[in-house]
Amino acid sequence: MNSAASPAEVASQTGAALVMIFAIALTGCTSNECTDSICGSNNDKGSIAAGEQTPAARVNTSYLADLIRKGPFSEPLPKPVKVTGMKDVLIADSSPRIDAVAVELDWPSEYDPFEGFDGPNGHIETYRAKADAAKRSESRYNTLRKQYKDFGEIQGTTKGFFIFANGEIIAGGTRGYVYVEVYSFTNANAYIPLATGTVNSMLKYADKMTALATDS
């Protein structure tokens, strides 16, 4: 049986992770092959002829929040990160979210920065309006940029970003009705693809749940 990749081996993926996080920031597309459902107008096949109208699909955001919470989380994560479950999480701010759920993450003990480390963490927040999710991401982006400016510049945009914080990597992103964030990833280049890749997987998971919560 193959053993999990070491942090040193993961380091070679850093450049690809940077490309991915900026792709998220610029287009919102997290697929290797751009599709109509993900990229919309970025794909000619998704265009609508002049004068043609289609009814706007309605997302039941309360149902979306319920689906996200119940799972199961089936999106592949960057190895060796894995999801072990979902649980309640308390977010100390006044954003008008419907729900917030912690995504319990884990990895092999050799990835721990110190003995007794309880693993990386993440959560998904669901909002009734896309604008509210976007505002939440913008607020976090600006807060983190100011709070950790002495540790380096934040990378990306409000749609997808990461920053070296005080002893950890924090990454986040938004699309549609959700904002996601991961934290407690070891503060080293080798862990950038793990943090940004986990954000990417969480956004894909939210995309699938949004499709299920959308009226046809």
Side-chain angles (χ1 to χ4, degrees), residues 30-195:
T30 57
S31 172
N32 289 332
E33 296 183 2
C34 187
T35 63
D36 297 338
S37 60
I38 296 175
C39 300
S41 62
N42 291 337
N43 189 322
D44 288 340
K45 293 185 295 182
S47 61
I48 299 174
E52 183 180 350
Q53 294 184 351
T54 58
R58 178 181 177 276
V59 176
N60 184 331
T61 52
S62 294
Y63 184 40
L64 170 60
D66 188 53
L67 289 171
I68 288 174
R69 174 174 286 274
K70 289 181 177 179
F73 190 103
S74 58
E75 288 302 309
L77 289 157
K79 295 180 180 180
V81 182
K82 62 181 180 180
V83 171
T84 60
M86 303 284 201
K87 66 178 182 181
D88 289 331
V89 63
L90 178 64
I91 309 294
D93 82 308
S94 58
S95 297
R97 67 182 62 83
I98 299 173
D99 191 25
V101 60
V103 181
E104 297 184 279
L105 303 171
D106 197 13
W107 58 27
S109 59
E110 58 264 31
Y111 281 73
D112 292 348
F114 53 84
E115 187 174 353
F117 180 70
D118 63 357
N121 297 287
H123 70 263
I124 302 173
E125 303 174 26
T126 308
Y127 292 83
R128 295 196 186 281
K130 292 180 180 180
D132 291 333
K135 287 178 182 177
R136 168 62 169 159
S137 187
E138 181 179 5
S139 174
R140 282 297 287 161
Y141 179 93
N142 291 327
T143 297
L144 293 170
R145 181 178 60 179
K146 294 176 183 177
Q147 184 175 356
Y148 298 112
K149 62 182 180 180
D150 293 338
F151 296 90
E153 293 291 328
I154 196 167
Q155 303 296 319
T157 72
T158 58
K159 290 186 177 180
F161 62 85
F162 74 89
I163 190 169
F164 287 104
N166 186 12
E168 63 176 327
I169 294 173
I170 300 174
T174 185
R175 192 155 64 250
Y177 300 89
V178 304
Y179 168 74
V180 308
E181 185 171 309
V182 300
Y183 31 94
S184 298
F185 280 75
T186 307
N187 198 16
N189 286 340
Y191 291 81
I192 294 173
L194 299 187

